[in-house]
Amino acid sequence: MPGKVGDEYYMTKGHLHAWRPAAEVYIGLQGQGFMLLEDERTGKSTALPLSADRVVYVPGHTAHRTINTGNEALVYWGILSSQAGHDYGAKDRYDFRKVIVEIDGEPVVLDRDQYVDRLKADKR
Ligand SMILES: [Fe+2]
């Protein structure tokens, strides 16, 4: 669903697959948003647009989260192996390295460290 906490858009918790090599395909059906993909082996973090008629490939060993940056429900269809399973706990041990926040009315992808620095600067 659409919305924000402060300037950070609503998002899913995000997960890895319990069977780490399992990939997944997301097909956007409605709305505007992004997927954050983060390879747990390298830490490489990527934000890809997700909207109607877009397809996002999630490789194995990759944590993934969706972020709704629009003003309607973000609807998508995830296709994955029935063997994949979900591991939501892994992301409790650390958070995604990127955040997607609204700046001047537009979604902007920031490194989490940059975002934290912005918040600290705003409090001064
Ligand atoms: Fe998944």
Side-chain angles (χ1 to χ4, degrees):
M1 296 307 293
K4 291 179 294 176
V5 175
D7 52 9
E8 192 169 5
Y9 294 98
Y10 283 1
M11 70 197 85
T12 59
K13 181 178 174 81
H15 64 271
L16 286 144
H17 294 145
W19 178 39
R20 292 295 199 266
E24 185 167 7
V25 172
Y26 277 59
I27 300 172
L29 300 175
Q30 175 190 296
Q32 297 288 326
F34 286 85
M35 285 192 75
L36 278 180
L37 306 180
E38 193 165 297
D39 187 313
E40 71 169 338
R41 298 164 301 182
T42 65
K44 183 181 180 202
S45 188
T46 308
L48 296 173
L50 179 65
S51 57
D53 301 327
R54 278 188 181 263
V55 174
V56 174
Y57 175 71
V58 181
H61 301 274
T62 303
H64 42 294
R65 151 182 288 172
T66 56
I67 299 98
N68 187 345
T69 59
N71 53 18
E72 62 180 332
L74 178 61
V75 181
Y76 46 86
W77 188 11
I79 302 168
L80 68 161
S81 167
S82 61
Q83 312 274 312
H86 293 89
D87 179 358
Y88 287 97
K91 294 310 288 178
D92 289 341
R93 296 189 286 277
Y94 69 98
D95 209 345
F96 284 79
R97 295 176 186 199
K98 292 191 183 297
V99 296
I100 301 184
V101 298
E102 185 182 81
I103 298 175
D104 297 330
E106 296 294 325
V108 176
V109 180
L110 295 176
D111 290 335
R112 181 169 300 283
D113 293 345
Q114 275 182 290
Y115 181 56
V116 169
D117 289 345
R118 272 179 70 94
L119 292 174
K120 288 177 185 170
D122 287 349
K123 287 185 177 177
R124 289 184 202 136

